[in-house]
Amino acid sequence: MFSIMAASIVGVATPSFGVAVGENYMIPLDGKAIQMGSVVMGSAKVPVNSNMAFVIQTGILHSAPTMVSPRVGAGIGIGISKDISISAGVSYQYNSNGTHSGALLVTPSIGIANNTRLNLSTGVTHNFNANNQALIVSPTISFSF
């Protein structure tokens, strides 16, 4: 869902773009059924310095039989080493059922190959129409170019 890091940010002083694909699990805090879906996100990274980058992203979450939700987000990523980074940010989505929601997320990321990373976004989302919250777990793989 919020695979904010498209590429390793340590020592990378140039902007880059990326795409992430994966799954999205929402665990409602009111005891309702877990919602599962697929996510595709595109991101752009703008380095602040050699260990930090600002990231913006947009994409689509598909869940339930017909729910399609455009999403946009932004955050800051910090490089811990060449292959390990962590990022935090916010996202907003408009759901095809007419509701909208926001999320706060943290995403650790690890490089597994050249320009390829595994990400695990976790956090909480709030549906503004229904006034309810859910925990989010979203494993993704991202590719940068």
Side-chain angles (χ1 to χ4, degrees):
M1 181 189 100
F2 196 66
S3 303
I4 193 168
M5 291 314 301
S8 173
I9 60 175
V10 174
V12 178
T14 58
S16 67
F17 301 93
V19 64
V21 294
E23 296 295 317
N24 187 68
Y25 303 94
M26 290 190 358
I27 306 159
L29 297 180
D30 58 6
K32 292 183 180 175
I34 294 175
Q35 300 172 11
M36 296 176 276
S38 300
V39 65
V40 177
M41 300 294 293
S43 63
K45 177 190 71 174
V46 180
V48 174
N49 59 37
S50 64
N51 292 327
M52 185 181 297
F54 176 72
V55 181
I56 56 173
Q57 63 177 17
T58 187
I60 294 177
L61 169 69
H62 177 267
S63 59
T66 59
M67 178 88 75
V68 177
S69 306
R71 176 177 286 154
V72 62
I76 294 287
I78 298 173
I80 297 169
S81 70
K82 182 180 180 294
D83 291 321
I84 299 172
S85 61
I86 190 162
S87 55
V90 296
S91 69
Y92 170 84
Q93 75 181 39
Y94 179 80
N95 304 309
S96 59
N97 66 0
T99 64
H100 59 112
S101 55
L104 298 170
L105 297 139
V106 173
T107 304
S109 178
I110 185 165
I112 57 170
N114 203 13
N115 298 324
T116 305
R117 303 182 70 76
L118 292 177
N119 315 284
L120 182 61
S121 296
T122 58
V124 64
T125 185
H126 176 80
N127 185 304
F128 297 108
N129 301 83
N131 197 27
N132 60 16
Q133 296 79 35
L135 299 177
I136 296 172
V137 178
S138 184
T140 60
I141 186 167
S142 60
F143 309 95
S144 64
F145 48 92

